[in-house]
Amino acid sequence: MSAQISFLDGTYTLIHIPLDLYNTFLQPILRVLIPQTQSLRVDGSSMHHEDLDGLSAENQHGFLNISVTPLECSIVCHTSWARNVFDAIVSSLPAHKSRAISGLTESYMILSVISADLDAASRVLDLSSPLALAGIPIFFITTYYSDFILVPSRERHNVMDALHDKGFELSDTNASFVISRKNSASHHSASPPGTPPPSNNDELQSRTFLLLRKRNVSPRVDRGLELVQCSGRDMSQLADAYGPRASVGRHAPTDNRDAWIENVDTKFYTAVVSALISQPRFVSVTLARDDPPSLLVDKSLLPMFGDSIVGDKDAILVPIFLDLVNLPSEVTGIVCGVSGRLVHDMKMTATSELSYLSTARAGVVILPEQQCTRALGILKPLLEQE
């Protein structure tokens, strides 16, 4: 098994927005989604490029995730965008509403995982378990091509040590690690902050569900909600298909590639904006440098996207929601504990599919519809109150 793991540049913020405040934050969400809107100040003067932290030379985000689910709206963005866009909105709210917004003071780094050699059934477990066993809290985001893991910025060295200690060989090249896993047991745990590590595999497994039971976490499926995982088109492929964008006017510059709009599929972004405005039941869009946009979306919204997306639009996925609002953000092991139990009890093979989406205060296990019923049959007894 092998994977390439890279630390993305910069620090990131994970923001929780209650659904009853979603409309209040829709405009700043769109400002972040379309960073070209930040190229001018309110007074019309140009911003300096250094003011746009977290963007590439083409003014595209190094990483951004916007997720709207039946439980919350959750944003992962570069800390400078959280500070410059969201802070002012939060400060303008009445005190009881501003207290409902969380995460703005936390700082995370993001691990980008390219794991083409890992089968889908065990990928989430294998990537998260070394960190969970080391007591490092994580958030996990599966996308169409890659996986991304958020860990507290203060844990950078512990992350490196944990991967090494669990049988991974790390080769440092340009802040990237090519990781080949040697023979080692794969463990999974759930521990509140300050709890000593488990002593054996049974304890590791039982802690996950004991903690969830104590906090009254139960699996939930929303009737009729079906998802599709797909991708926006690669801009290089679009350029090959349609040729370079023609300049407008005799004296127009021949190369304006620094402009955000010249480097994105405007049809895809128009559809994302339309979906966010539509009060969606579920949409999660992930933008990452060197990856085409990734979309996990309510099937009923697909007509908005037309031919701007690629992927198997008939492969229906069903989300199982775990509301983690009663758990501290520092809790460890939920991702690998839940996924590990499902992989084991469902006897998943290399052809099985399992994805995971961490939002600010929830976890979403994503399975093909035919496997969802089996997964609920496993999780519900484990989470019932004794």
Side-chain angles (χ1 to χ4, degrees):
M1 183 194 78
S2 64
Q4 179 175 318
I5 300 182
S6 305
F7 287 100
L8 300 187
D9 292 337
T11 60
Y12 291 80
T13 301
L14 174 60
I15 307 169
H16 162 75
I17 300 172
L19 291 178
D20 61 352
L21 292 177
Y22 175 70
N23 286 339
T24 302
F25 283 85
L26 181 57
Q27 193 265 359
I29 289 171
L30 297 180
R31 286 178 62 194
V32 175
L33 174 68
I34 305 175
Q36 183 163 298
T37 61
Q38 291 295 104
S39 62
L40 294 177
R41 298 185 187 274
V42 175
D43 61 7
S45 62
S46 296
M47 294 184 75
H48 297 294
H49 186 75
E50 55 266 24
D51 293 328
L52 301 173
D53 290 341
L55 299 182
S56 69
E58 296 79 23
N59 288 329
Q60 297 188 62
H61 286 286
F63 185 87
L64 174 69
N65 175 268
I66 301 171
S67 296
V68 183
T69 77
L71 297 178
E72 65 177 328
C73 174
S74 177
I75 311 292
V76 181
C77 64
H78 194 278
T79 298
S80 66
W81 289 80
R83 181 176 61 249
N84 293 327
V85 176
F86 290 103
D87 270 359
I89 304 296
V90 174
S91 299
S92 70
L93 294 174
H96 69 284
K97 290 186 177 181
S98 64
R99 286 194 295 267
I101 310 299
S102 65
L104 287 167
T105 60
E106 300 292 332
S107 173
Y108 294 90
M109 65 180 185
I110 296 181
L111 301 175
S112 170
V113 184
I114 300 174
S115 50
D117 294 341
L118 304 184
D119 63 81
S122 59
R123 185 183 66 248
V124 177
L125 173 64
D126 287 338
L127 293 173
S128 61
S129 60
L131 305 179
L133 196 63
I136 300 171
I138 72 166
F139 294 85
F140 199 99
I141 298 175
T142 303
T143 71
Y144 192 81
Y145 291 108
S146 307
D147 298 292
F148 297 91
I149 303 174
L150 280 70
V151 295
S153 298
R154 64 181 180 276
E155 298 283 4
R156 183 185 183 99
H157 294 295
N158 291 335
V159 167
M160 296 167 60
D161 291 343
L163 292 171
H164 181 270
D165 290 346
K166 292 305 166 188
F168 288 83
E169 294 178 346
L170 283 68
S171 175
D172 188 356
T173 306
N174 296 326
S176 298
F177 300 89
V178 179
I179 300 179
S180 300
R181 185 174 171 199
K182 300 183 288 186
N183 293 330
S184 63
S186 178
H187 301 295
H188 34 280
S189 66
S191 304
T195 304
S199 58
N200 57 60
N201 198 42
D202 289 339
E203 185 180 358
L204 294 171
Q205 187 65 244
S206 63
R207 279 192 186 186
T208 302
F209 293 96
L210 176 61
L211 178 61
L212 294 176
R213 284 196 302 272
K214 285 183 176 180
R215 299 304 178 98
N216 298 314
V217 176
S218 59
R220 160 184 166 181
V221 172
D222 276 28
R223 184 178 299 276
L225 180 57
E226 298 178 333
L227 307 182
V228 174
Q229 178 98 57
C230 47
S231 170
R233 297 182 181 276
D234 190 304
M235 280 302 294
S236 63
Q237 296 173 352
L238 289 177
D240 292 340
Y242 301 112
R245 191 185 299 268
S247 296
V248 179
R250 176 178 299 179
H251 302 292
T254 58
D255 187 3
N256 190 28
R257 299 302 295 173
D258 285 347
W260 172 86
I261 200 168
E262 296 291 337
N263 294 278
V264 298
D265 183 350
T266 52
K267 182 185 292 186
F268 175 82
Y269 274 81
T270 300
V272 171
V273 170
S274 300
L276 291 172
I277 291 174
S278 72
Q279 300 287 327
R281 292 178 69 190
F282 193 109
V283 61
S284 179
V285 59
T286 303
L287 309 176
R289 191 172 302 172
D290 301 327
D291 267 5
S294 181
L295 185 71
L296 182 64
V297 64
D298 183 345
K299 183 183 178 182
S300 68
L301 298 178
L302 283 182
M304 291 184 178
F305 290 85
D307 64 356
S308 69
I309 54 177
V310 295
D312 187 352
K313 301 174 188 178
D314 295 321
I316 303 303
L317 303 171
V318 176
I320 301 175
F321 298 98
L322 300 171
D323 189 346
L324 307 178
V325 66
N326 293 324
L327 273 68
S329 61
E330 297 83 6
V331 70
T332 64
I334 301 299
V335 177
C336 62
V338 173
S339 62
R341 188 59 180 259
L342 292 178
V343 168
H344 178 268
D345 287 10
M346 295 175 68
K347 296 180 172 57
M348 290 186 171
T349 65
T351 60
S352 302
E353 296 181 44
L354 185 149
S355 300
Y356 198 97
L357 172 66
S358 293
T359 57
R361 293 190 174 186
V364 189
V365 180
I366 304 157
L367 293 162
E369 54 183 340
Q370 64 270 22
Q371 295 182 10
C372 181
T373 301
R374 290 181 59 202
L376 284 172
I378 293 169
L379 294 176
K380 283 185 175 180
L382 292 169
L383 295 174
E384 289 176 351
Q385 295 298 315
E386 298 177 353

